[in-house]
Amino acid sequence: NAGVTQTPKFRVLKTGQSMTLLCAQDMNHEYMYWYRQDPGMGLRLIHYSVGEGTTAKGEVPDGYNVSRLKKQNFLLGLESAAPSQTSVYFCASSYGVMRRAASNQPQHFGDGTRLSIL
Amino acid sequence: TQLLEQSPQFLSIQEGENLTVYCNSSSVFSSLQWYRQEPGEGPVLLVTVVTGGEVKKLKRLTFQFGDARKDSSLHITAAQPGDTGLYLCAGPALGGSQGNLIFGKGTKLSVKP
């Protein structure tokens, strides 16, 4: 009964390094999301996916790439990390059975990845 | 641009006190959700309100959706230390058929024993 699992939980990178954050969900959810949470800024959507093989840009997509090769996994990549990308990253998932009602579906969040870029 | 403004930003109270936090917008929302986030964890959904004027109760928590569907409030009766956390409101983004939400910046509540 894991729900949404994010790995790693913590990471420190140097400027210019690359890394991939992994999100896995076991609830058979169609929709998945990546957010970043910064003090005083709230949760901001980076990228999202409405199904396997599909991705779309959110509010703050620059500097990030994503892939959804399998329904249960959603990967977030940083190709060349910058100090401005220091943040806590959250993955979430939700049902998308009926698109009209998708906005009322709860989003289920992982516990976050705390990323520091020096 | 859709915005959800939450107030107060911070709230520190003693156990047993009552409190109300607010979520306001100039935009109309088809629904609003409230989440609670505890330190080191992700947000967890508390409630979804979908009808203007709707009131929902969850034990000591009472949620209200404004008649015009532009605002919502969360009232906690006799707060306990276990209520400590960040309270976030969220609503569907414009064109949010993909389930996209916009979040307020949250109210950070601390309940002291």
Side-chain angles (χ1 to χ4, degrees):
Chain A
N1 215 20
V4 178
T5 303
Q6 292 184 234
T7 53
K9 295 187 186 302
F10 304 93
R11 186 73 183 268
V12 178
L13 289 179
K14 294 181 179 179
T15 297
Q17 288 184 320
S18 63
M19 79 161 295
T20 301
L21 281 64
L22 173 64
C23 176
Q25 53 94 5
D26 61 2
M27 296 172 282
N28 201 35
H29 284 166
E30 290 291 332
Y31 295 175
M32 296 187 74
Y33 313 86
W34 275 108
Y35 294 91
R36 60 179 289 173
Q37 187 175 40
D38 303 290
M41 298 296 291
L43 282 163
R44 292 182 291 170
L45 183 65
I46 303 171
H47 285 279
Y48 64 97
S49 168
V50 299
E52 183 178 318
T54 71
T55 63
K57 294 180 180 180
E59 179 187 356
V60 289
D62 294 342
Y64 305 94
N65 57 75
V66 288
S67 64
R68 183 104 180 264
L69 298 179
K70 293 183 178 180
K71 183 177 183 178
Q72 64 266 35
N73 296 338
F74 196 26
L75 278 63
L76 177 72
L78 285 73
E79 291 186 347
S80 179
S84 61
Q85 294 177 305
T86 293
S87 188
V88 182
Y89 291 86
F90 286 98
C91 176
S93 68
S94 69
Y95 286 111
V97 176
M98 293 176 61
R99 287 178 181 254
R100 185 170 60 85
S103 59
N104 290 345
Q105 297 290 341
Q107 291 191 6
H108 299 259
F109 286 81
D111 285 339
T113 294
R114 284 142 189 84
L115 181 60
S116 293
I117 301 166
L118 307 177
Chain B
T1 303
Q2 289 179 300
L3 284 175
L4 285 168
E5 298 183 356
Q6 293 190 243
S7 60
Q9 188 175 358
F10 300 98
L11 190 55
S12 181
I13 61 172
Q14 294 294 129
E15 182 176 1
E17 293 184 11
N18 301 332
L19 66 115
T20 302
V21 299
Y22 301 92
C23 174
N24 295 299
S25 178
S26 58
S27 304
V28 175
F29 285 88
S30 58
S31 63
L32 282 177
Q33 298 178 353
W34 284 92
Y35 291 80
R36 179 169 64 208
Q37 183 179 16
E38 298 187 15
E41 299 182 6
V44 176
L45 181 74
L46 295 173
V47 77
T48 301
V49 286
V50 297
T51 305
E54 181 177 7
V55 176
K56 281 191 172 179
K57 292 190 175 183
L58 187 66
K59 296 183 180 178
R60 294 174 295 100
L61 279 61
T62 301
F63 303 85
Q64 186 162 7
F65 199 12
D67 291 341
R69 292 186 286 124
K70 292 183 177 182
D71 56 86
S72 182
S73 64
L74 159 59
H75 181 79
I76 301 179
T77 303
Q80 299 178 359
D83 296 325
T84 293
L86 179 67
Y87 289 82
L88 297 162
C89 66
L94 279 174
S97 59
Q98 295 87 5
N100 291 7
L101 297 173
I102 62 165
F103 284 82
K105 295 180 180 179
T107 292
K108 192 169 185 179
L109 173 65
S110 174
V111 182
K112 300 179 181 179

